[in-house]
Amino acid sequence: MKRIAFLLGLLLLVIVAGCSTSGVAIPLGNKTYLPTSADSVVILAGPPARPFTDVALVDGTAATDDYFTQERTQAAALKAMKEKAAQLGAHAIIITNKDNRPYGGPLWEKLQISGKAIRYTDIPE
């Protein structure tokens, strides 16, 4: 009986913890674009040399209790951002902020990455 209670508690923890990855996008301006592929959205550390327009502010959040390593957690946060940016027709994301903070337990962190989704203007629509 104790084993069943333990397994149910562990399952509940996994279900609750598994809901901590998210992506958010706030469109900028009134223009809409056809969606792009999330796999084609490029992550940039600064503005590109080629011409672009701002599409949205984007945010990706993930926690180490879901992914267990910083690398996998960061990849999940970036993936969530790229999916939201792609839905709005972005070609790239310029990272503007990265924040880690304690989450859930002593060894867990929540990673939040913010950026600006952009669309290159030298690509025909």
Side-chain angles (χ1 to χ4, degrees):
M1 190 65 156
K2 287 183 181 180
R3 185 178 177 125
I4 292 173
F6 172 76
L7 290 174
L8 287 174
L10 184 59
L11 178 62
L12 179 62
L13 176 64
V14 169
I15 290 170
V16 170
C19 299
S20 62
T21 303
S22 65
V24 176
I26 301 170
L28 300 172
N30 296 325
K31 188 153 181 166
T32 59
Y33 304 98
L34 291 176
T36 57
S37 165
D39 292 333
S40 70
V41 174
V42 178
I43 301 297
L44 304 172
R50 62 196 287 190
F52 66 91
T53 187
D54 297 342
V55 175
L57 299 176
V58 290
D59 184 85
T61 303
T64 54
D65 63 325
D66 289 337
Y67 301 100
F68 302 110
T69 67
Q70 283 289 334
E71 294 80 18
R72 289 174 57 190
T73 303
Q74 179 171 304
L78 290 172
K79 181 178 184 234
M81 289 176 76
K82 289 169 81 171
E83 288 171 353
K84 291 296 184 180
Q87 289 172 0
L88 297 173
H91 294 128
I93 298 171
I94 302 168
I95 299 300
T96 57
N97 192 42
K98 182 177 172 184
D99 182 43
N100 290 42
R101 60 186 176 279
Y103 170 75
L107 301 176
W108 295 340
E109 290 182 324
K110 185 163 278 212
L111 172 64
Q112 182 176 9
I113 304 173
S114 301
K116 184 171 33 172
I118 63 168
R119 183 172 178 86
Y120 297 120
T121 56
D122 59 355
I123 296 176
E125 292 187 38

